[in-house]
Amino acid sequence: MCGIVGFTGSQSAAPLLLDGLKKLEYRGYDSAGIAVLSQEGIHLEKAAGKIKNLDEKIQGGATMTGSSGIGHTRWATHGAPTDENAHPHMSNGGRFALVHNGIVENYVELREELMAQGIQFKSETDTEVVVNLLDLYYAGDLKAAVLKTVARLEGAYALGILCKEEPGRLITARHAAPLILGVGKGENYFASDVTALVAHTKDVIYLEDGEIADITPESITIYDTAGELLEKSIEHVTWDVAAAEKGGYEHFMLKEIMEQPEALRATIEPRIKHGEIVLDDFSLSDSELKKINKIMITACGSAYYAGSVGKYVIEQLCRIPVEADLASELRYRNPLVDEHSLLVVVSQSGETADTIAAMKECKARGARILAIVNVVGSTIARLADDVIYTWAGPEIAVATTKGYTTQVAVMDMLAVYLARRLGRLEDGEYKTLVEAIRSFPELVQQSIDQNPKLPELAEKYHGHNNLFFIGRNLDFAACLEGSLKLKEISYLHSEAYAAGELKHGTIALIEEDRPVIALACYEALLDKMLSNIREVKARGAEVLAVVLDGNREIFDEADDVILIPRTHPLLNTLPEIVPLQLFAYYMAKSNGCDIDKPKNLAKSVTVE
Ligand code: M6R
C-alpha cells in the first residue's frame, strides 16, 4: 500500500512529484506529501485527504522550489490519516526527509531505543523511526548510514530518502515492496509503479529485494545490503501515457470495463497459433507434468474468484484434483503441497503480500509455481518458476475489471492447454474450446452492447441495502465476483450464495422486495436454478436473472433480465461477469460513491 515517488534533475521537482502521486493515488489516498530540497534546506508540505488537497496547498507545486525531492500518497497502517502521520517524515533537526511504503515490524523496539537517546516523535508512524535511525547513523557517509539503517529493519519497505547535505542525491531501498527506477536524460526518477514514470521515461530498472539505489541526475548506482555494487539491466516498457489516463471516460473503472475486449485480445491472440493454444511461458516438461497429482490455486479478492472459476474448469477438463484457496488462509494452514503439486498464483498487481507469502510457503515445500500476473517485473512474477502475463495493461481503478477477466481467460486457456497435453480432450472438443476462447473479445463486446438498460436497472435497485447473488457451479464462482464488485464500490451489503445452500439457513433473509440476482447460465443445472428462483420469488424476492440468450422459461419467472450471449458451457463466466461489473458501476454511481477510489481500499495490498 502507499505510493512513493522521487525525482532529481534540473526541472522543478514539486510539479513532477505531484503528477507522479496522482498516478499512484490508487495505492492509497488518505493523505499525501512532498519534500523538496531548496537553498534553504528541506521544504516539506503535507495534507490529509486526497491529493487534490496537497495540490491546492502547494498551488500545483508552484510554492516549492528545488530540483530534487520525494513524494508519498498514504494508505494508513500506523496512526490515523492526519497531517502529522502523512509522509514524508523528517528526522529531528531536519537533516533527512523520508518516504516509506510497507510496514516496519520491529518499529516499537526501535522507537524505544531512539527515545532513550532523546529523540522525539511527532507522528504515530513506523516511518518516523526509520528516518531518525538514519540520522543517528549518519556521520558524513550517506551510503554507510543507509546500509546500517536497513540492516536494523524487519518487515517490508520501499524507502525514498532526501538529505539536506547531499543536494541532487536520492537514495531508495527495497525489501518486499515494489520499487522501480526511471532512467532519464540528465534526470532520474523512482516510483512504486511504472504508471508514475511513463510520462517521463520508458526506460526502467526493477529493483529487487535487498537492493539499494543511489540516484543523481546523471547516474544510478545500485548495490546490495552488503554495499557490493550490482549490475542491473535497463528495461523498456511499452505502456503509453494514454493507457494510464482516463481517455474521456468519467471513471477509470468504466474505461477499464470498456477496454476488456481489447485487453482480452492482447491476452489471448498471441497464445493461439494455428488453432492450438501455445503457452510458451509455461515450461513444465511432459514428464514433469505427468508427476503433478494436484493443482492448488491461490490468490486474494477478485484474483481468488478468478481462481475459483479456474478450479471448476481445470478440474472438469483435466480430471486432476484442484483446490482454490485464499492466500491469507493457505499461508497459515500448514498446506499439504510437495514436488507433485502445481501452485497457480493469481495476481493483477503481482505485489499482494498474502499471495507472496502463500507462494513462498508452498515453494519451500517443493511445489512448482506458475504465476498469472498483469504487472511485468512485479514480485510475484519474479518469484515464480513460470509466468503467464495477462497483458491487460495498466489497471488504475481500485475495483478490478479487466484484471479479473484476463485472469479468467488465462485460467480457461490453461485448463484447455493442460487437458490437451494430458490427453484428456478429443480433437473436436479441443477445437471447439479453442475457437470459443478466441472469440472472447467479441463475446464480451456483445455482452456490453446487448445490455444498454443497466443504468435503468441500477436506478431501480440502488436503494436496497441488502442483495443476494445466487448461482450454481461456474455461476456461483461468478456470483462471488459480481457481489464483491457491488460491495466494494457501492458500499451496499450483498452476499454471494451457492443457490443450493439457501435452504440451509439464508432463505430466512429472503423477504418482500429483497433483490436476488440469480445467475442461471450454467445450463446443466438450469432446472435446479429455476427451482431456486421460484423459491425466492415465493417469499417475495425481486429477481434479476442473468440468463443465456434464448432461455425463455427464466424470462417468464424473473422480474428483470440481463441477457448473455452463448458460448461453450464451461466458458460462460466472461460474458456473464461484464454486465455485472457495469451493474455495480451504475449502482455505485446512483449512490454517489467515489467509484475509482472506494473508501478504506487500496489497489495494491502490500501489507498482511
Ligand atoms: O493485485 P491482486 O490481484 O493480487 O489483488 C488482489 C485483491 O486485492 C484485489 O483483487 C481486490 O479484491 C480488488 N479490490 C477487487 O476489485
Side-chain angles (χ1 to χ4, degrees):
M1 233 68 87
C2 304
I4 69 171
V5 283
F7 168 79
T8 179
S10 54
Q11 305 182 60
S12 177
L16 290 168
L17 294 169
L18 201 55
D19 183 61
L21 290 181
K22 286 177 188 165
K23 301 277 171 11
L24 296 177
E25 203 172 7
Y26 71 89
R27 299 182 64 86
Y29 35 82
D30 57 42
S31 54
I34 283 177
V36 166
L37 188 60
S38 71
Q39 303 283 9
E40 290 78 43
I42 294 176
H43 180 174
L44 174 69
E45 294 287 357
K46 325 197 234 192
K50 299 213 167 127
I51 291 175
K52 73 175 174 35
N53 297 356
L54 177 70
D55 191 351
E56 280 163 21
K57 190 171 178 187
I58 62 172
Q59 295 168 25
T63 63
M64 299 179 86
T65 53
S67 58
S68 60
I70 54 179
H72 187 272
T73 180
R74 181 168 186 250
W75 186 82
T77 55
H78 294 71
T82 58
D83 279 6
E84 292 71 34
N85 289 330
H87 300 214
H89 288 281
M90 301 280 290
S91 56
N92 283 197
R95 181 187 281 138
F96 286 104
L98 184 143
V99 287
H100 168 215
N101 170 30
I103 291 179
V104 176
E105 285 165 3
N106 59 336
Y107 87 104
V108 175
E109 65 189 70
L110 292 174
R111 191 180 167 108
E112 279 165 10
E113 187 182 314
L114 290 166
M115 283 170 82
Q117 303 201 37
I119 290 162
Q120 290 172 354
F121 290 90
K122 298 186 193 73
S123 77
E124 300 155 85
T125 64
D126 48 345
T127 308
E128 205 183 353
V129 168
V130 184
V131 72
N132 280 299
L133 199 61
L134 180 65
D135 191 44
L136 187 74
Y137 290 147
Y138 183 75
D141 181 345
L142 183 54
K143 178 181 168 188
V146 171
L147 290 178
K148 231 170 149 183
T149 304
V150 297
R152 299 287 317 276
L153 305 181
E154 288 168 19
Y157 56 81
L159 302 174
I161 298 164
L162 183 68
C163 178
K164 190 170 113 179
E165 279 144 45
E166 305 272 356
R169 189 171 174 198
L170 303 176
I171 304 274
T172 64
R174 171 193 160 131
H175 180 72
L179 198 49
I180 299 147
L181 312 179
V183 185
K185 289 194 172 58
E187 57 187 33
N188 288 310
Y189 303 79
F190 66 78
S192 300
D193 185 330
V194 82
T195 50
L197 301 174
V198 286
H200 311 290
T201 177
K202 291 187 181 168
D203 292 328
V204 302
I205 299 172
Y206 294 100
L207 274 200
E208 305 280 344
D209 283 354
E211 291 181 352
I212 295 160
D214 195 331
I215 307 170
T216 70
E218 302 299 340
S219 66
I220 295 179
T221 313
I222 299 168
Y223 43 90
D224 63 17
T225 46
E228 296 298 325
L229 275 182
L230 297 171
E231 285 290 325
K232 300 274 295 183
S233 54
I234 297 178
E235 294 180 39
H236 192 74
V237 292
T238 50
W239 291 2
D240 59 13
V241 182
E245 305 282 351
K246 264 191 223 161
Y249 287 97
E250 194 177 347
H251 296 99
F252 278 114
M253 183 178 176
L254 187 58
K255 173 182 176 250
E256 288 158 9
I257 291 173
M258 296 308 182
E259 277 172 358
Q260 288 179 107
E262 190 191 325
L264 286 163
R265 216 163 272 128
T267 312
I268 296 163
E269 271 183 5
R271 294 177 171 126
I272 299 184
K273 292 176 191 151
H274 311 296
E276 299 277 337
I277 293 182
V278 182
L279 297 182
D280 288 333
D281 5 36
F282 187 40
S283 65
L284 206 69
S285 68
D286 284 344
S287 61
E288 287 169 323
L289 182 58
K290 288 211 173 86
K291 285 189 202 134
I292 299 293
N293 59 18
K294 174 184 185 179
I295 297 178
M296 307 264 295
I297 304 174
T298 198
C300 300
S302 292
Y304 166 69
Y305 296 148
S308 306
V309 174
K311 173 185 158 59
Y312 284 105
V313 185
I314 298 172
E315 207 163 58
Q316 182 64 33
L317 292 177
C318 300
R319 310 312 295 156
I320 293 181
V322 184
E323 280 178 39
D325 217 336
L326 290 164
S328 53
E329 289 294 314
L330 181 67
R331 65 182 289 190
Y332 293 119
R333 79 169 166 86
N334 196 6
L336 281 171
V337 291
D338 57 24
E339 64 279 12
H340 300 297
S341 317
L342 173 66
L343 181 78
V344 182
V345 178
V346 192
S347 176
Q348 188 284 128
S349 63
E351 300 294 349
T352 302
D354 282 320
T355 310
I356 294 171
M359 173 180 187
K360 286 183 176 164
E361 184 66 42
C362 293
K363 197 170 181 161
R365 289 162 195 250
R368 170 90 180 200
I369 315 280
L370 169 65
I372 298 174
V373 173
N374 188 33
V375 178
V376 176
S378 56
T379 305
I380 291 175
R382 278 178 289 115
L383 287 176
D385 297 308
D386 297 296
V387 187
I388 302 179
Y389 283 112
T390 51
W391 303 126
E395 192 179 61
I396 307 298
V398 167
T400 182
T401 52
K402 62 177 182 171
Y404 167 85
T405 45
T406 51
Q407 287 162 353
V408 171
V410 171
M411 281 291 172
D412 290 339
M413 275 193 286
L414 182 66
V416 175
Y417 169 84
L418 286 176
R420 178 68 162 178
R421 278 188 64 185
L422 290 165
R424 308 245 155 91
L425 266 181
E426 304 280 321
D427 283 359
E429 179 69 344
Y430 175 69
K431 276 195 188 121
T432 309
L433 282 159
V434 174
E435 273 321 300
I437 289 173
R438 192 207 288 280
S439 65
F440 275 164
E442 292 75 37
L443 208 66
V444 161
Q445 189 61 56
Q446 216 179 316
S447 199
I448 295 173
D449 294 343
Q450 70 188 40
N451 286 294
K453 297 214 163 129
L454 289 166
E456 284 165 44
L457 282 177
E459 263 315 298
K460 174 175 173 187
Y461 286 97
H462 78 101
H464 293 271
N465 285 327
N466 285 296
L467 298 93
F468 282 88
F469 284 75
I470 60 169
R472 288 169 178 262
N473 197 284
L474 279 159
D475 284 333
F476 173 54
C479 282
L480 295 166
E481 173 61 4
S483 171
L484 176 63
K485 242 13 19 135
L486 185 65
K487 274 187 272 233
E488 68 181 334
I489 59 167
S490 72
Y491 316 144
L492 297 174
H493 172 248
S494 86
E495 219 171 306
Y497 236 77
E501 270 293 296
L502 274 181
K503 56 187 173 295
H504 297 290
T506 315
I507 203 159
L509 294 170
I510 303 296
E511 56 184 25
E512 205 57 39
D513 291 339
R514 170 84 70 229
V516 173
I517 298 153
L519 276 60
C521 296
Y522 189 70
E523 282 188 309
L525 296 174
L526 193 60
D527 288 347
K528 307 277 171 210
M529 267 311 286
L530 209 48
S531 304
N532 295 132
I533 289 173
R534 287 182 185 132
E535 281 160 16
V536 294
K537 283 289 296 175
R539 286 157 181 86
E542 193 145 5
V543 172
L544 167 57
V546 182
V547 296
L548 294 180
D549 266 345
N551 280 338
R552 288 241 71 94
E553 61 270 50
I554 301 230
F555 286 31
D556 300 338
E557 302 285 340
D559 296 281
D560 296 292
V561 168
I562 291 176
L563 271 186
I564 305 300
R566 276 172 182 277
T567 180
H568 188 283
L570 287 177
L571 305 177
N572 278 322
T573 318
L574 278 187
E576 186 176 28
I577 201 67
V578 175
L580 295 180
Q581 296 168 340
L582 284 164
F583 179 67
Y585 172 83
Y586 289 116
M587 292 278 274
K589 202 168 166 208
S590 297
N591 282 349
C593 301
D594 190 349
I595 293 177
D596 284 337
K597 301 186 197 86
K599 67 180 178 200
N600 304 338
L601 295 180
K603 181 73 181 162
S604 180
V605 187
T606 54
V607 292
E608 190 181 342

